[in-house]
Amino acid sequence: MIRSAIIGCGSYTPENIVKNSDLEGVVETSDEWIVQRTGIRQRHIAVEGETTADLGEKAARAALIHAGITPDDLDMIILATSTPNNTFPATSVEIQHRLGMSHGAAFDSQAVCSGFVFALTTADQYIRTGFAKRILVIGAETFSRILDWNDRTTCVLFGDGAGAVVLEAVEGEGAPTDRGILTAHLRSDGSHKQKLYVDGGPSSTKTVGFLRMEGREVFRHAVGMITDVIEAAYAATGYGSEDLDWFVPHQANKRIIDASAKKLGIPPEKVVITVDHHGNTSAASIPLAFCEAVTDGRIKKGDLVLFEAMGGGFTWGSVLFRY
Ligand code: ACO
């Protein structure tokens, strides 16, 4: 059977670093409060004029180099983002053009913080049906643009960045020992909209709007939802937490990651954490974390890796694969 294997990854974060202490002058907060409640110490923030397409393009180019291919070898680009350059056209099409690619197709996918898991799962379907052979999947965000910088309960949590992977069709046996994506599980439930949303949009207010969140409510639901889709991945493959080489969760909050890993029996040394230096970069957080652990040599070819995310909607999902 056809499997989708990750053959390369790349990432990019803006040069501008904002430390917690820098935010003490923006809102009434402290480094101690932010570190204790979230584990975040700093985040990258795009400077004026630096856009989601800029970050996504840089991550995409790095992923193509790492995979050893050129844009000519791609059939498709899927960009996960909630902070596009324009309402339309899709930012992925702009990135496609910048890469000099005039064949194939590009489109954006929107599932907020779960966006990368949704985009990766979508790409996997195209590959396994034979519709495409190679797909570039990008998660890129400039969440700083939709933050209310007067709201200390949200503005300290997020950062900007981009990560990308190249998926390629490979032959598999149909066994859990195969290389590539082994199983994926997606969920959403719109009844939770008011707990995490942006209070604007083209059709409702004709504005972009700002992120609004009931932090405690998000926290209350997060661990259960994350556990749900991970247990579904285990049930589908016969694997369990003891078989994982690496757990790469969405980087929203260190306390959510720790609580989820503990509940699932995943030891801390198998968890990739980047929230301390990236903050929550929404759809970019998983590919940023994955790429960091591949680049520093922790994640190796053949490792069993679990991605998991939960975000606005609510949406949530998991992807279990062998790198
Ligand atoms: N600095 C200082 N004090 C603050 C700040 C801040 N930045 N923000 C809130 N406070 C205050 C509050 O006003 C409150 O003060 P009060 O007691 O005088 O009213 C106090 O701190 C406690 O506020 P809580 O909201 O109860 O704090 P909590 O311990 O729940 O932590 C947090 C807040 C970090 C947002 C937590 O609820 C959380 O992690 N929620 C998950 C949400 C999340 O991670 N969202 C990310 C997006 S969703 C996603 O990516 C999946």
Side-chain angles (χ1 to χ4, degrees):
M1 69 177 289
I2 302 174
R3 296 276 196 192
S4 318
I6 294 181
I7 61 161
C9 64
S11 66
Y12 183 78
T13 45
E15 283 177 19
N16 176 40
I17 291 174
V18 175
K19 295 187 184 307
N20 289 348
S21 55
D22 299 324
L23 293 174
E24 290 174 4
V26 178
V27 286
E28 203 182 321
T29 191
S30 65
D31 175 53
E32 191 193 357
W33 190 97
I34 300 170
V35 172
Q36 196 229 329
R37 306 283 173 132
T38 71
I40 299 167
R41 294 181 182 277
Q42 64 169 55
R43 73 285 293 140
H44 296 252
I45 299 288
V47 294
E48 189 73 31
E50 195 173 22
T51 68
T52 294
D54 296 333
L55 310 186
E57 179 193 352
K58 288 188 168 119
R61 288 188 187 281
L64 291 171
I65 289 170
H66 188 233
I69 64 165
T70 72
D72 289 344
D73 302 315
L74 292 173
D75 301 312
M76 189 180 276
I77 299 174
I78 307 177
L79 168 67
T81 189
S82 302
T83 47
N85 278 32
N86 298 85
T87 302
F88 79 79
T91 302
S92 53
V93 178
E94 188 166 340
I95 294 174
Q96 177 194 23
H97 175 63
R98 290 187 191 192
L99 294 176
M101 185 178 157
S102 53
H103 66 279
F107 62 93
D108 290 3
S109 162
Q110 212 268 48
V112 205
C113 297
S114 310
F116 188 76
V117 165
F118 275 62
L120 199 61
T121 303
T122 307
D124 179 42
Q125 306 305 308
Y126 282 120
I127 285 181
R128 285 197 293 115
T129 55
F131 191 90
K133 282 209 158 39
R134 280 189 210 93
I135 304 181
L136 176 66
V137 184
I138 311 168
E141 302 277 19
T142 45
F143 254 53
S144 60
R145 308 300 195 239
I146 54 165
L147 295 176
D148 176 353
W149 287 98
N150 295 311
D151 176 9
R152 68 176 182 172
T153 69
T154 54
C155 74
V156 302
L157 303 175
F158 296 89
D160 301 334
V165 301
V166 178
L167 275 190
E168 184 177 70
V170 296
E171 271 302 317
E173 302 287 322
T177 46
D178 284 350
R179 182 179 170 214
I181 294 179
L182 302 172
T183 191
H185 300 267
L186 303 180
R187 295 290 320 278
S188 61
D189 180 351
S191 67
H192 299 286
K193 178 182 174 181
Q194 294 305 320
K195 299 182 181 89
L196 179 55
Y197 69 106
V198 167
D199 63 5
S203 177
S204 54
T205 60
K206 296 182 260 179
T207 63
V208 172
F210 292 118
L211 183 147
R212 305 294 174 203
M213 181 176 73
E214 295 171 19
R216 278 194 178 184
E217 280 298 303
V218 176
F219 203 116
R220 203 165 66 77
H221 287 86
V223 177
M225 289 177 163
I226 290 165
T227 309
D228 163 49
V229 281
I230 291 176
E231 284 174 347
Y234 291 164
T237 56
Y239 284 127
S241 294
E242 65 283 3
D243 301 306
L244 294 182
D245 292 300
W246 293 102
F247 178 42
V248 186
H250 167 51
Q251 309 282 319
N253 181 312
K254 177 85 163 43
R255 288 193 299 160
I256 295 178
I257 296 172
D258 289 347
S260 310
K262 192 171 171 200
K263 190 169 171 194
L264 289 155
I266 304 171
E269 59 273 17
K270 289 188 174 181
V271 185
V272 178
I273 304 275
T274 53
V275 70
D276 55 327
H277 51 284
H278 290 160
N280 181 349
T281 56
S282 192
S285 91
I286 290 176
L288 270 168
F290 174 68
C291 198
E292 187 172 296
V294 167
T295 306
D296 68 21
R298 274 178 291 170
I299 298 182
K300 296 181 181 63
K301 286 263 154 70
D303 281 355
L304 187 66
V305 184
L306 177 65
F307 288 167
E308 151 284 302
M310 182 262 183
F314 291 147
T315 55
W316 62 109
S318 66
V319 173
L320 182 64
F321 67 99
R322 192 174 300 286
Y323 178 51

